[in-house]
Amino acid sequence: HRARLRDASNTEVAVKVQYPDSEHLFRTDMKAIRDFFEVAAPEQVIILNELERSFEEEFNYKCEAENLRLIASHIAAPFAKEVAIPKAYPELTTRRMLVMELLPGPKLVDGLTAYGKVVAAEKGMTLAEIEDEMRRNWDENGIPAKYDGPRYPRIVTCAILRYPIVSLRQRPSAGFSR
């Protein structure tokens, strides 16, 4: 969600809010999966235990705010021209609400859609026709083992071309937010 801070800065921010039942639903789903695997494939239960453990922090947005800070301090510096990490506001973040800097530009899904339209046009097709062709291919042959989708530079190029308001002087990835 978009919001503005109620301080002198009036800064526009992004607010991520956790659905009230998301943790409960996850645990209920994991129990159902575990019950199935205990009967059908008991050797896989250990993997489910690890998956469930790894998701513990996913339900605590204070941890996510700290992870943003760590990523920005350790990873972002060498890649500052290619990667934008939003700044979290830990003083406003709770276990179920994350407040962070709103990065300018298009959403990732819009960049991917723009990329898909370019690829479709190069093939003389619409995006819907490409999607239908892919679904038919997957139904007949399964999903390919090797990823052959768009790469970062192509997505950014398509996003910039579709949204000319994004300046080339800005960090290209600044528009790609979750």
Side-chain angles (χ1 to χ4, degrees):
H1 304 284
R2 285 176 180 246
R4 289 203 176 272
L5 296 181
R6 288 185 174 182
D7 62 9
S9 73
N10 199 32
T11 304
E12 194 170 22
V13 294
V15 180
K16 180 177 174 181
V17 180
Q18 189 178 116
Y19 287 103
D21 291 341
S22 56
E23 186 172 1
H24 172 74
L25 292 171
F26 173 77
R27 295 196 188 287
T28 301
D29 289 348
M30 288 302 292
K31 182 178 179 340
I33 295 167
R34 179 178 286 101
D35 290 348
F36 171 77
F37 275 105
E38 284 175 353
V39 173
E43 70 281 2
Q44 301 299 322
V45 172
I46 193 166
I47 295 170
L48 287 173
N49 291 340
E50 182 58 26
L51 178 66
E52 189 170 21
R53 189 194 66 72
S54 71
F55 265 86
E56 289 298 319
E57 289 186 2
E58 295 295 319
F59 295 108
N60 186 346
Y61 288 170
K62 285 184 175 250
C63 292
E64 188 168 340
E66 176 60 13
N67 288 339
L68 286 171
R69 187 193 68 74
L70 288 170
I71 290 169
S73 66
H74 292 94
I75 295 174
F79 303 103
K81 291 181 182 177
E82 293 87 22
V83 177
I85 309 294
K87 175 190 161 234
Y89 290 85
E91 70 279 8
L92 300 174
T93 296
T94 68
R95 187 176 191 288
R96 292 187 41 229
M97 183 181 73
L98 173 63
V99 180
M100 64 187 137
E101 172 186 23
L102 180 66
L103 298 177
K107 294 180 181 179
L108 177 59
V109 69
D110 294 333
L112 290 171
T113 300
Y115 172 81
K117 289 179 179 179
V118 169
V119 169
E122 288 172 356
K123 294 183 176 193
M125 301 171 77
T126 67
L127 182 55
E129 290 169 335
I130 290 277
E131 290 170 345
D132 289 343
E133 180 181 283
M134 288 176 73
R135 281 190 197 95
R136 278 192 305 277
N137 192 29
W138 290 348
D139 287 344
E140 294 170 11
N141 305 314
I143 296 175
K146 179 182 176 275
Y147 176 73
D148 194 26
R151 301 291 190 267
Y152 167 79
R154 185 70 187 254
I155 294 170
V156 170
T157 300
C158 290
I160 290 170
L161 292 175
R162 181 169 176 192
Y163 298 94
I165 196 167
V166 177
S167 166
L168 292 175
R169 290 177 304 219
Q170 290 178 332
R171 296 175 289 186
S173 62
F176 299 129
S177 57
R178 291 193 211 174

